[in-house]
């Protein structure tokens, strides 16, 4: 187990390549970074710079090819698939394709992520799911199916699903892109509360200047290279 002060995400000289042979193309160059418990870190950068690739590596959705990448103290470079699958249970993913199940209502979609937690009764799971839907402003939509919801509403269901189990790690790829100003703020503030209260690490890819103030730090990806930037530089 990790102690309260160990980094939750620790990245050391990670490089990544797509393709092989003559088509092999490097997309990440010796990326190093860490995210500590309770921190909200925003990752910015132009399209194609490697943000999503880095997020999928941290999220144990791809294997680390080069360098060291530790999540909750566990090394993912050369990790076995079984270990990656187990690590994924600690992660709340909010990716652009929200992948809600059409056969389930909003509440059931959210509740799904609590099914990995056998110590909760089904009544408790239901209550928590409804509370989370309320937090994203969708309590009245709990019994609706995805095809009855707008794009922004579906995105908020996906956010509720990712956060309902209070994961130690939240990885969000442009979570506010489909949301209006107020809903966008609401969801990042929920993530910030989770970080503060549970000591979770939140890593957020965004182009949205309106939410930069929730970040403890801002990282910038450019052509596969990562650097730290000051908030003032981004807003100016
Ligand atoms: P961003 O999220 O910053 O827009 P990505 O991480 O999606 O950037 O992409 C970084 C680079 O890697 C881009 O040049 C993209 O075309 C390439 N890339 C992303 N995914 C793949 C893939 N599965 N196969 C080959 N190239 C990819
Ligand atoms: Mg991307």
């Amino acid at each position: 187990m990790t102690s309260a002060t160990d980094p939750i995400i620790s990245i050391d000289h990670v490089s990544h390549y797509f393709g092989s042979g003559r088509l092999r193309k490097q997309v990440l160059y010796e990326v190093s970074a860490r995210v500590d418990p309770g921190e909200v870190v925003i990752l910015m950068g132009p399209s194609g710079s490697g943000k999503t690739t880095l997020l999928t590596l941290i999220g144990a959705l791809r294997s680390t090819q080069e360098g060291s990448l530790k999540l909750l103290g566990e090394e993912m470079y050369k990790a076995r698939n079984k270990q990656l699958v187990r690590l994924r249970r600690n992660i709340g993913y909010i990716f652009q394709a929200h992948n809600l199940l059409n056969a389930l209502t909003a509440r059931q979609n959210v509740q799904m992520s609590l099914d990995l937690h056998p110590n909760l009764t089904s009544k408790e799971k239901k209550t928590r799911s409804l509370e989370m839907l309320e937090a994203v402003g969708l309590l009245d939509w709990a019994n609706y199916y995805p095809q009855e919801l707008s794009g922004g509403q579906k995105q908020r269901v996906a956010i509720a699903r990712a956060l309902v189990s209070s994961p130690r790690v939240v990885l969000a790829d442009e979570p506010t892109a489909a949301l209006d100003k107020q809903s966008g703020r609401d969801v990042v503030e929920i993530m910030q509360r989770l970080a503060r209260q549970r000591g979770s690490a939140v890593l957020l890819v965004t182009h949205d200047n309106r939410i930069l103030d929730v970040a403890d730090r801002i990282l910038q990806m450019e052509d596969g290279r990562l650097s730290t930037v000051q908030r003032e530089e981004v807003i100016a």
Side-chain angles (χ1 to χ4, degrees), residues 131-165:
E131 283 167 358
M132 197 67 229
L133 281 170
E134 184 172 26
V136 297
L138 287 181
L139 187 57
D140 293 342
W141 299 85
N143 295 321
Y144 285 73
Y145 289 87
Q147 64 268 26
E148 300 171 299
L149 303 175
S150 71
Q153 288 172 327
K154 280 191 273 206
Q155 179 68 352
R156 282 185 281 157
V157 176
I159 290 165
R161 181 184 58 183
L163 301 180
V164 70
S165 63

Side-chain angles (χ1 to χ4, degrees), residues 33 38 108 161 166 168 181 198 214-215 224:
Q108 290 165 333
R161 181 184 58 183
S166 303
R168 284 307 302 285
K181 187 173 179 201
R198 188 155 191 246
V214 303

Side-chain angles (χ1 to χ4, degrees), residues 36-69:
D36 287 325
E39 267 196 311
V40 178
V41 173
I42 280 182
L43 175 58
M44 306 191 83
S47 171
S49 59
K51 304 180 299 296
T52 298
T53 304
L54 182 62
L55 230 56
T56 57
L57 286 169
I58 298 168
L61 299 171
R62 288 179 200 287
S63 44
T64 304
Q65 299 169 342
E66 208 176 288
S68 163
L69 209 168

Side-chain angles (χ1 to χ4, degrees), residues 55 92-95 170-175 191 202-206:
L55 230 56
Y93 300 95
I94 303 163
F95 279 20
V170 175
L171 300 175
D173 204 346
E174 304 193 30
M191 294 181 209
V202 178
L203 182 58
L204 200 66
V205 172
T206 188

Side-chain angles (χ1 to χ4, degrees), residues 20 31 34 36 57 111 213:
S20 58
V31 168
R34 61 183 271 175
D36 287 325
L57 286 169
Q111 199 165 327
D213 59 297

Side-chain angles (χ1 to χ4, degrees), residues 105-115 117 120-134 139 142-143 164:
T105 64
R107 196 261 303 161
Q108 290 165 333
N109 266 288
V110 173
Q111 199 165 327
M112 243 177 47
S113 14
L114 290 175
D115 287 339
H117 298 255
L120 293 176
T121 66
S122 55
K123 185 150 182 276
E124 285 166 335
K125 289 181 196 172
K126 185 171 177 184
T127 306
R128 280 209 204 177
S129 303
L130 290 173
E131 283 167 358
M132 197 67 229
L133 281 170
E134 184 172 26
L139 187 57
N143 295 321
V164 70

Side-chain angles (χ1 to χ4, degrees), residues 38-40 191-200 214-216:
E39 267 196 311
V40 178
M191 294 181 209
Q192 192 180 37
R193 251 191 332 269
L194 177 67
R196 300 291 184 264
Q197 290 171 359
R198 188 155 191 246
S200 301
V214 303
D216 297 303

